[in-house]
Amino acid sequence: MSRPTVNDIAREAGVSLATVDRVLNARPGVRGKTITAVNEAIARLGYVRDMAAANLARSRRYPMAVFLPDGGGQFVQTVADALDEAAQQAAATRTEMSLIRYPAGDTHHLAALLAGVDPEAVAGVALMAPETPVLRDAVRALRARAVPVVALASDLPNAGCDHFIGIDSRAAGRTAGVLMGRFLGARPQRVAVLAETMLLRDAIERRRGFDEVLQADFPLVEVLPTLETHGATEALRRGLAEILTGTDLGGIYLLGSGHRALTAALEGMGLLGRVVVIGHELTKASRAALESGHIHAVIAQNPGHLARSTLRVLRAKADRQPIDEGQEQLRIDIVIRENLPA
Amino acid sequence: MSRPTVNDIAREAGVSLATVDRVLNARPGVRGKTITAVNEAIARLGYVRDMAAANLARSRRYPMAVFLPDGGGQFVQTVADALDEAAQQAAATRTEMSLIRYPAGDTHHLAALLAGVDPEAVAGVALMAPETPVLRDAVRALRARAVPVVALASDLPNAGCDHFIGIDSRAAGRTAGVLMGRFLGARPQRVAVLAETMLLRDAIERRRGFDEVLQADFPLVEVLPTLETHGATEALRRGLAEILTGTDLGGIYLLGSGHRALTAALEGMGLLGRVVVIGHELTKASRAALESGHIHAVIAQNPGHLARSTLRVLRAKADRQPIDEGQEQLRIDIVIRENLPA
DNA sequence: TTGTAGGCGTTATCAG
DNA sequence: CTGATAACGCCTACAA
């Protein structure tokens, strides 16, 4: 006994295939009484629509556009790679993807790109970007043209996106905080916080979570003000040196990217492996640093999961289908040397 | 311009649909020359097969059988729930699942069940079980009858399964070891190890990984012999009390299930929250213990991922299709209070 | 060894 | 408003 099909419900309801289809897709031109009859037949037979067959018949394609910042460190590249791989797999379900890089930080440029998106040619849009008023409006406009939009890695809470794919930055910061506190032990210690920039909401939220936890649960730990390096290795080195003149350092919290620069700086100062270092995101650099013991933990989100989730969610939104919350929920990964993925 | 279809390559290669299909599915009865011609056309046009359409045409169903132990603690139940949910989702790809519980530990019973599996009626088998000779043979026999078999959570390395879905227990133990070492700090400390039973290979491997790390990297920590409780709360309490008469305890490593019993015992002794407790698997009990601060970390594998992976891999094996290693690789999750999933 | 025709479950285009 | 009928991309008898 296999699953009932449209034919079965057509027979059961005493109507034709076409009518069943109209009811199924909520298309106009059917009497209310007929609709009821069909729906009853559907319920009676426990019919569930075969989406594979439906999509085949529609011969619909799902061209998705993903916008990623141009520079943005290794994490962005990791995500880009994961997206490419996910796209290959998703081709099996007619989901295509084009990756568009925009000048990092130039949200006007990105907004212009979004304004140029043709709803006929694009079934969904994903973007990783900081939240600015222009961008917020651009997203709104896009959604007004019935294009689903999801935010990637960095949330755009006020832009009214259809979905956010990523982890809660504040919780990620809290997680980093607990690990830092526990790894340091119960002695009075100082912790430096480094960031390339504090412009992104992610960094701010992480720092907030980090501080919350240390203040509440590890009162012996003093967290220093954030040192913004703006990607300059020299600034990092100078800043660290300055901090070190005053005090002994117990740990370093790396808010964003820059694992490589930090390792280099620490090495120059003979501090490699002598302070607890906790960072974010698993990249080639942070992975190497974990393996060699220069970094002790990394708070991460799985890029493969992020990428697959992006495409799946966009696809579901394009079909106005519900999404499986459980499957799309990204975990806050704690990565140490011992549980590094192969 | 949409994707090329079998029609396109048939035309391009100057053969018929059926021949293309034969080549595509590596069926016999085609001249070598024709095969080459078709393959060339495929390459030239960049054809990728539409699996959805293929499966529709086959109208093939994939009835999978999953065997889980009967008791086995909350983790097994969590997996069972996850499987049920995954099965609902997988119904979209004609994958059905029946969950069969067998008397925990009775591998003869399980082997008999496996012997009764009809290759016509079952497209794949997954099982969570300890490795015993009878079972090993039963799995071999099943595979000999062309039924794909995957091991769930607990590996059966010598049974020749098609795949293992789960995490490396030794690495999981190492991860627990590092966390224990770091959480304890740099003072001499003693750690008790509790297990319901050491019969399962998982527990043994975890303990091995745990010991390795502590011996190598945390020489100040002394790990006591494993205390087997056999699920008896009283045994646990007595054993703990005995350990405590001799020494102060810095930490407890819970090798298997029994979070609830442990919490109760610790409470009775006024030790709740005063020793570092690290366990395995995220269940209702361990989750509650994390939230209340009675357990400090749990090494886990995502049951949702485990379940979806199981069905996906079985499906792929049934179709003799390659699997996406990256997607099927389960992560060793480190769960603390701050990164508990919602 | 190869080709033809029909079908899988759904949608879409016509007439009625 | 409703109903035949032909797609969609692929597989599979059966025929040649």
Side-chain angles (χ1 to χ4, degrees):
Chain A
M1 216 31 204
S2 73
R3 283 173 12 180
T5 77
V6 274
N7 284 289
D8 298 321
I9 60 176
R11 193 173 342 104
E12 179 82 9
V15 296
S16 81
L17 249 43
T19 301
V20 174
D21 183 69
R22 287 183 187 105
V23 175
L24 241 33
N25 295 292
R27 270 189 283 259
V30 186
R31 253 189 317 174
K33 216 170 72 177
T34 316
I35 295 183
T36 322
V38 171
N39 279 328
E40 272 170 8
I42 289 176
R44 207 158 342 122
L45 267 49
Y47 168 80
V48 283
R49 198 223 217 97
D50 184 335
M51 283 309 290
N55 286 318
L56 172 59
R58 258 194 268 261
S59 67
R60 179 172 175 185
R61 304 173 356 170
Y62 299 83
M64 307 298 182
V66 181
F67 295 90
L68 256 39
D70 206 345
Q74 283 194 37
F75 175 61
V76 179
Q77 190 51 48
T78 310
V79 171
D81 292 344
L83 279 165
D84 277 325
E85 206 188 304
Q88 257 185 300
Q89 263 236 133
T93 55
R94 298 170 192 296
T95 305
E96 299 148 31
M97 182 201 67
S98 33
L99 211 54
I100 299 114
R101 307 296 282 254
Y102 67 89
D106 189 348
T107 49
H108 280 84
H109 188 110
L110 176 55
L113 288 176
L114 293 183
V117 165
D118 174 10
E120 299 295 303
V122 174
V125 166
L127 67 167
M128 185 188 296
E131 187 172 44
T132 65
V134 245
L135 203 56
R136 196 172 44 87
D137 292 344
V139 168
R140 289 250 168 79
L142 208 50
R143 295 206 57 226
R145 287 186 284 151
V147 179
V149 180
V150 306
L152 229 54
S154 175
D155 199 4
L156 309 172
N158 301 308
C161 289
D162 291 87
H163 202 78
F164 163 57
I165 313 227
I167 59 178
D168 177 349
S169 294
R170 177 134 154 254
R174 292 181 59 89
T175 305
V178 171
L179 292 182
M180 181 61 84
R182 290 210 168 268
F183 284 11
L184 285 176
R187 292 192 307 280
Q189 307 245 23
R190 302 196 147 203
V191 173
V193 180
L194 305 183
E196 302 220 309
T197 163
M198 287 304 274
L199 286 178
L200 287 108
R201 126 176 271 114
D202 286 43
I204 298 165
E205 300 260 296
R206 284 176 187 167
R207 164 95 213 207
R208 192 148 69 99
F210 190 78
D211 287 354
E212 271 172 17
V213 163
L214 286 176
Q215 270 171 33
D217 300 343
F218 303 92
L220 294 180
V221 176
E222 183 191 350
V223 185
L224 303 175
T226 305
L227 176 62
E228 286 189 64
T229 64
H230 302 291
T233 312
E234 204 30 58
L236 192 157
R237 184 191 304 273
R238 260 206 321 278
L240 263 188
E242 199 169 309
I243 289 172
L244 284 166
T245 56
T247 44
D248 256 14
L249 207 56
I252 295 178
Y253 179 33
L254 195 52
L255 227 35
S257 51
H259 295 101
R260 230 165 356 190
L262 175 61
T263 307
L266 288 181
E267 182 153 37
M269 299 167 151
L271 276 177
L272 255 194
R274 313 206 45 202
V275 289
V276 173
V277 181
I278 293 183
H280 280 275
E281 304 310 355
L282 194 57
T283 62
K284 255 177 291 183
S286 61
R287 182 188 190 92
L290 277 172
E291 275 167 348
S292 56
H294 301 152
I295 288 191
H296 303 89
V298 158
I299 313 303
Q301 45 195 327
N302 188 314
H305 192 340
L306 186 90
R308 288 186 293 269
S309 203
T310 301
L311 265 25
R312 265 198 310 259
V313 168
L314 279 179
R315 172 81 141 84
K317 292 295 177 190
D319 275 343
R320 291 160 199 278
Q321 287 237 141
I323 61 185
D324 177 344
E325 294 287 354
Q327 181 168 1
E328 310 312 349
Q329 191 61 48
L330 262 74
R331 293 276 296 107
I332 299 176
D333 287 338
I334 299 174
V335 187
I336 62 179
R337 195 196 336 181
E338 317 302 319
N339 75 333
L340 266 174
Chain B
M1 213 42 200
S2 71
R3 282 170 18 178
T5 76
V6 274
N7 284 289
D8 297 321
I9 58 177
R11 196 174 338 105
E12 179 82 11
V15 297
S16 80
L17 251 44
T19 303
V20 173
D21 183 73
R22 287 184 186 105
V23 175
L24 241 34
N25 295 293
R27 270 190 281 261
V30 186
R31 256 188 316 173
K33 216 170 71 177
T34 315
I35 296 183
T36 324
V38 172
N39 280 327
E40 272 168 7
I42 289 177
R44 207 157 342 119
L45 268 47
Y47 168 80
V48 281
R49 195 210 224 116
D50 184 336
M51 282 309 290
N55 285 319
L56 173 60
R58 261 193 262 262
S59 67
R60 177 170 176 186
R61 303 174 359 174
Y62 300 83
M64 307 298 183
V66 180
F67 296 89
L68 255 38
D70 207 343
Q74 282 193 40
F75 175 61
V76 179
Q77 191 50 49
T78 310
V79 170
D81 292 344
L83 278 166
D84 277 325
E85 207 187 305
Q88 256 184 300
Q89 262 237 132
T93 56
R94 301 179 143 66
T95 304
E96 298 146 32
M97 181 199 69
S98 33
L99 209 54
I100 300 114
R101 307 295 282 254
Y102 68 89
D106 190 348
T107 49
H108 279 84
H109 188 111
L110 177 54
L113 288 177
L114 293 184
V117 165
D118 174 11
E120 300 294 304
V122 174
V125 165
L127 68 167
M128 185 188 297
E131 186 171 45
T132 64
V134 242
L135 203 55
R136 196 171 46 86
D137 292 344
V139 168
R140 289 249 168 78
L142 209 49
R143 294 207 58 228
R145 285 186 284 150
V147 179
V149 180
V150 306
L152 230 52
S154 175
D155 199 3
L156 310 172
N158 301 309
C161 289
D162 291 85
H163 201 79
F164 164 57
I165 314 228
I167 59 178
D168 177 349
S169 295
R170 178 136 154 253
R174 293 181 59 89
T175 305
V178 171
L179 292 182
M180 181 60 84
R182 290 209 169 269
F183 283 11
L184 286 176
R187 293 192 308 279
Q189 307 245 23
R190 303 197 146 202
V191 173
V193 181
L194 305 183
E196 301 222 308
T197 164
M198 289 303 275
L199 285 178
L200 288 107
R201 124 176 273 114
D202 287 44
I204 298 165
E205 300 261 296
R206 284 175 186 167
R207 164 95 215 207
R208 192 148 69 98
F210 189 77
D211 287 353
E212 271 173 17
V213 163
L214 287 175
Q215 271 171 33
D217 300 342
F218 303 92
L220 293 180
V221 176
E222 183 191 349
V223 186
L224 304 174
T226 305
L227 176 62
E228 286 188 66
T229 65
H230 302 289
T233 312
E234 203 31 58
L236 192 157
R237 184 191 303 274
R238 259 206 320 276
L240 263 187
E242 200 168 309
I243 289 173
L244 282 166
T245 56
T247 45
D248 257 15
L249 207 55
I252 295 178
Y253 178 34
L254 195 52
L255 227 35
S257 51
H259 295 100
R260 228 163 0 188
L262 175 61
T263 306
L266 287 180
E267 182 153 37
M269 300 167 151
L271 277 177
L272 254 195
R274 312 207 48 203
V275 288
V276 174
V277 181
I278 294 184
H280 280 276
E281 303 311 356
L282 193 58
T283 63
K284 256 178 290 183
S286 60
R287 181 187 192 93
L290 277 172
E291 275 167 349
S292 55
H294 301 151
I295 288 191
H296 303 88
V298 158
I299 313 302
Q301 45 195 328
N302 188 315
H305 192 341
L306 186 90
R308 287 186 294 269
S309 204
T310 301
L311 264 27
R312 265 198 309 259
V313 168
L314 278 180
R315 173 74 141 86
K317 292 295 177 190
D319 275 341
R320 291 161 201 277
Q321 288 239 138
I323 61 185
D324 177 345
E325 294 288 352
Q327 178 163 253
E328 310 312 351
Q329 191 60 47
L330 262 74
R331 296 273 296 108
I332 300 175
D333 287 338
I334 298 174
V335 187
I336 61 178
R337 195 198 335 184
E338 317 302 319
N339 75 334
L340 266 175

